[in-house]
Amino acid sequence: GFEVVYLAIWAIADPLMLTTEIKTTSATGTKVYERCLSDAQGAWLLINYLSKGIILIWGSWLAYRVRNVASRFNESKWIALCLYNMLVMGMILVPVSHLVHDSMVAAFLLAAAGAILSTTVIIGLLFWHKFHLIFFYNGDYGATQANP
């Protein structure tokens, strides 16, 4: 919902335009880079980052609220670890990506590596203990309590 409306407003109010950059160095020669930028791209990205921050705060609050649910169904610890992972990755990758935006290859590699790493960690955190229960205890949660 929100993402579609946000992106539609951005596309209509401040559309991306193709910009060409020519970089010349003695080692590599002349390279031509093309990227899409908008006039107020910083403001649009700030709105995007703030909306993601609000979602992270809401998720943290939700994980905190369900921390006392019966342990068989309690995943608040794993959800909190996933949110912490996203927060740390965001605090590292967002500023660094803005610092290396002149090098398009470095910016792309940083974004791709961050997406792959954070997604892998989140999937691992959310599903590891489920796989552990299924494969080592045949899905019987009571066995984990009696035979650690």
Side-chain angles (χ1 to χ4, degrees):
F2 172 76
E3 293 287 327
V4 173
V5 172
Y6 162 74
L7 291 173
I9 292 171
W10 184 357
I12 293 168
D14 189 19
L16 296 171
M17 305 298 279
L18 181 66
T19 60
T20 304
E21 297 177 17
I22 300 172
K23 295 192 180 204
T24 305
T25 62
S26 60
T28 59
T30 302
K31 290 188 178 183
V32 177
Y33 294 102
E34 294 180 337
R35 71 170 76 182
C36 293
L37 299 171
S38 64
D39 292 332
Q41 188 163 350
W44 293 105
L45 290 175
L46 180 64
I47 292 169
N48 189 23
Y49 295 150
L50 288 174
S51 69
K52 301 301 185 249
I54 289 169
I55 291 171
L56 282 173
I57 291 169
W58 176 74
S60 299
W61 176 80
L62 193 59
Y64 176 78
R65 294 283 296 169
V66 299
R67 72 190 184 282
N68 294 325
V69 174
S71 63
R72 183 173 190 170
F73 304 107
N74 191 350
E75 295 182 347
S76 64
K77 177 174 78 170
W78 304 107
I79 293 170
L81 285 172
C82 291
L83 291 168
Y84 176 75
N85 173 57
M86 288 304 299
L87 180 68
V88 169
M89 294 295 283
M91 288 176 61
I92 293 170
L93 291 177
V94 170
V96 172
S97 68
H98 286 288
L99 291 175
V100 299
H101 78 280
D102 288 338
S103 173
M104 290 185 206
V105 174
F108 176 76
L109 288 175
L110 185 68
I116 291 169
L117 180 65
S118 62
T119 303
T120 303
V121 169
I122 287 173
I123 290 172
L125 286 171
L126 286 177
F127 293 113
W128 168 248
H129 84 284
K130 290 174 178 53
F131 289 134
H132 184 74
L133 285 175
I134 291 169
F135 291 119
F136 294 107
Y137 298 101
N138 295 327
D140 183 18
Y141 182 77
T144 63
Q145 300 297 325
N147 302 321

